[in-house]
Amino acid sequence: MVGRLLLRGMLVGVLAGILIFAFARTFGEPLVDRAIAFEEQAAQAAGEMPEPEIVSRATQAGLGLFTGSIIYATAVGGLFALVFAYVYGRVSTFGARGTAALLALAAFIAISVVPDIKYPANPPAVGNPDTIGARTELFFIMIVASVIGMIVAVGFGRRLAARYGSWNGAILAGIGYILFVALIQYLLPSINEVPEQFSAVVLWRFRIAALGMHAILWTTLGLAFGAWAERDLPQVRYGRAATRRA
């Protein structure tokens, strides 16, 4: 069953990758072109020679974007299926659709929204090339901390639900998660390398488009994978009995 779920997760990931590519090609790439134009104008004004184009812009926005979207979404879809196989019947009483939807929502918040609040996506021409390594490390630290906080919050939420009820337990766990990630974001250094002349509108729209790509990914996984998995997965009782399912 786990193998079948893994395959289905990867296939749904392919679908999500296609949708992501269409969205990014329509809404993201024009903003990237505007950012590249700004970078070229800044370099020309500073008297710098243009860098050689190793990969053509058409390839980057076409085949490169399509390949990257498919590979990334397929890999995430497989990981999503494995996590789903583990939590199904162990964390809540929801069926396959409900579990997949909740798992996708939690992943979207922990992996996409929370790290993006602290370190949002930037288009070309924004950021110092010398700080790429440091910025990447900080971004992944934020992701790891957010995911750990989410896992701990879910565990505490289950315990609190037994004492205070499901709603109160979920609210208290959510407040705890928010306080935890707020503390981590406060402790981690901020990065602001946006040039003053860069268009605020382009920057805002690019970041919204980047977040939209993640929203498409997790929405597709949460809805399509859950509906597909529900066909074969039996309804299980919440708790240890879930470990005995087929």
Side-chain angles (χ1 to χ4, degrees):
M1 178 60 70
V2 174
R4 294 170 64 181
L5 290 175
L6 175 61
L7 177 60
R8 293 184 179 186
M10 296 176 68
L11 291 176
V12 173
V14 172
L15 173 61
I18 295 173
L19 297 177
I20 291 171
F21 168 75
F23 178 85
R25 191 74 173 85
T26 303
F27 298 100
E29 289 302 320
L31 300 173
V32 174
D33 290 335
R34 294 179 63 179
I36 292 176
F38 172 85
E39 186 177 35
E40 292 176 347
Q41 292 176 0
Q44 185 177 7
E48 300 176 357
M49 295 294 295
E51 297 182 1
E53 189 177 58
I54 300 177
V55 180
S56 68
R57 181 73 188 109
T59 301
Q60 295 176 20
L63 180 61
L65 177 62
F66 179 80
T67 303
S69 300
I70 295 296
I71 292 177
Y72 175 76
T74 302
V76 173
L79 292 174
F80 180 84
L82 293 177
V83 175
F84 172 88
Y86 176 78
V87 304
Y88 181 59
R90 293 184 173 92
V91 176
S92 71
T93 57
F94 290 104
R97 287 191 178 189
T99 301
L102 287 178
L103 179 61
L105 178 60
F108 176 62
I109 294 173
I111 299 175
S112 301
V113 175
V114 170
D116 197 65
I117 292 175
K118 180 65 178 182
Y119 302 114
N122 288 326
V126 175
N128 184 352
D130 296 333
T131 64
I132 291 179
R135 286 186 280 125
T136 302
E137 290 178 0
L138 290 172
F139 181 74
F140 278 103
I141 289 174
M142 189 67 250
I143 291 179
V144 171
S146 178
V147 171
I148 292 176
M150 181 66 74
I151 294 173
V152 173
V154 172
F156 274 107
R158 294 176 60 189
R159 296 184 180 181
L160 293 171
R163 172 175 292 187
Y164 303 107
S166 299
W167 276 108
N168 292 332
I171 292 173
L172 291 174
I175 293 174
Y177 172 73
I178 293 173
L179 293 176
F180 173 75
V181 297
L183 176 62
I184 297 298
Q185 292 189 355
Y186 174 78
L187 294 176
L188 290 177
S190 299
I191 298 176
N192 183 14
E193 300 179 346
V194 181
E196 295 182 359
Q197 301 82 4
F198 193 85
S199 172
V201 174
V202 173
L203 181 62
W204 171 254
R205 290 180 177 175
F206 179 86
R207 289 175 174 176
I208 292 297
L211 190 60
M213 293 167 62
H214 289 283
I216 291 172
L217 170 64
W218 295 114
T219 300
T220 304
L221 290 175
L223 298 181
F225 176 82
W228 198 358
E230 189 178 46
R231 297 181 178 181
D232 290 336
L233 286 176
Q235 293 294 325
V236 298
R237 289 185 297 172
Y238 173 56
R240 294 183 180 275
T243 61
R244 298 194 295 270
R245 68 179 181 272

